[in-house]
Amino acid sequence: MKKYIIIVAGGKGLRMGTDLPKQFMLLAGRPVLMHTLDNFHTCLPDACIILVLPLAHQEYWRGLCRDFSFDVPHIIADGGETRFHSVRNGLAMVDYDVDSLVAVHDGVRPFVSHDVIKRCFNLAAQGKAVVPVTDVIETLRRIEGVNGNSVTVPRNSYKLVQTPQVFPVSMLKKAYEQAFIPDFTDDASVVESMGYQVTLAEGNRENIKLTTPFDIMIAEKLVVKLMS
């Protein structure tokens, strides 16, 4: 059973307050994106890694690979107008095979555990659309109407969604034949719109998405812990 991993890295770094896209920021002396690719390659060395990058970032990335002697095998696909279009471009490089599996992962999530990766692939091998999630640990309130009123909602009715989201190749390719709509916020939402049921798998809390300077501060602590 062939495995593909589409890693989407199209961020502009706006919420980081920097001109450098967040996927290229240094973490423990290496760009974040290298940590992410290396993590998947270590876990699944035979998987085909497809890195989706905006065309304007590709030569910069190749230069980083030379500078850091980064040799994890991967191929590059062009980023699109939205995440949906970027994933579609990456998916075009995946061979159609009913027995193959494909994962889609955020390039700025370098700390997904190998247990989570394997768990998601094992469930997807049963023909399921799989999404890793974690529990909500803080109290949630829902805004009602335009007057600012809010009510507490039961947090055990909600989950926090992570990546990698893993699917049979045939399922994801069929789903991405649809036209884009703004409601498509992740791959699970695209697949769900076709009538497929989504299976939830246990994620890991360290699998944070690096979006703000605070996230980078947490990541520096995490990478030291995981490397020790």
Side-chain angles (χ1 to χ4, degrees):
M1 181 176 290
K2 191 164 185 179
K3 298 178 177 67
Y4 296 87
I5 300 158
I6 297 173
I7 296 180
V8 185
K12 296 180 174 63
L14 299 179
R15 280 176 285 184
M16 282 291 183
T18 174
D19 292 334
L20 183 67
K22 54 195 175 184
Q23 60 268 26
F24 301 136
M25 294 183 70
L26 295 185
L27 177 63
R30 289 200 306 169
V32 167
L33 195 50
M34 291 183 183
H35 289 276
T36 304
L37 268 67
D38 193 46
N39 190 22
F40 276 91
H41 181 62
T42 303
C43 180
L44 300 172
D46 294 329
C48 174
I49 297 177
I50 301 167
L51 175 60
V52 186
L53 281 174
L55 189 60
H57 294 169
Q58 291 178 15
E59 191 53 42
Y60 181 72
W61 168 250
R62 292 187 181 98
L64 288 175
C65 289
R66 290 191 296 269
D67 293 344
F68 287 87
S69 300
F70 185 70
D71 59 0
V72 169
H74 64 281
I75 56 179
I76 297 176
D78 294 342
E81 179 183 354
T82 68
R83 186 183 190 281
F84 175 91
H85 298 95
S86 291
V87 173
R88 178 185 279 175
N89 289 350
L91 199 55
M93 294 188 166
V94 173
D95 293 332
Y96 182 88
D97 186 334
V98 293
D99 293 325
S100 295
L101 303 174
V102 57
V104 184
H105 188 70
D106 299 321
V108 289
R109 288 186 187 267
F111 299 121
V112 59
S113 74
H114 289 189
D115 284 344
V116 170
I117 295 171
K118 292 175 181 177
R119 183 181 302 125
C120 291
F121 269 98
N122 288 340
L123 287 169
Q126 301 172 29
K128 299 177 180 180
V130 186
V131 175
V133 297
T134 57
D135 293 335
V136 176
I137 60 174
E138 299 187 25
T139 299
L140 295 176
R141 294 187 68 83
R142 182 179 65 238
I143 304 298
E144 297 195 329
V146 295
N147 56 9
N149 290 340
S150 63
V151 296
T152 300
V153 294
R155 62 188 173 197
N156 59 359
S157 297
Y158 297 87
K159 297 288 184 181
L160 299 176
V161 174
Q162 301 180 332
T163 64
Q165 300 182 4
V166 189
F167 313 86
V169 165
S170 56
M171 180 191 296
L172 196 62
K173 276 186 172 285
K174 181 178 179 181
Y176 269 90
E177 291 175 356
Q178 301 176 88
F180 169 74
I181 59 173
D183 290 343
F184 291 157
T185 55
D186 66 355
D187 308 286
S189 61
V190 180
V191 165
E192 218 167 17
S193 70
M194 297 289 292
Y196 295 109
Q197 184 175 350
V198 171
T199 296
L200 304 183
E202 183 181 355
N204 65 295
R205 294 201 62 82
E206 299 86 355
N207 185 20
I208 59 175
K209 186 176 183 180
L210 307 185
T211 305
T212 68
F214 178 75
D215 299 329
I216 290 291
M217 291 172 57
I218 298 298
E220 290 287 356
K221 301 293 185 183
L222 278 173
V223 75
V224 170
K225 177 183 177 182
L226 295 173
M227 291 171 64
S228 61

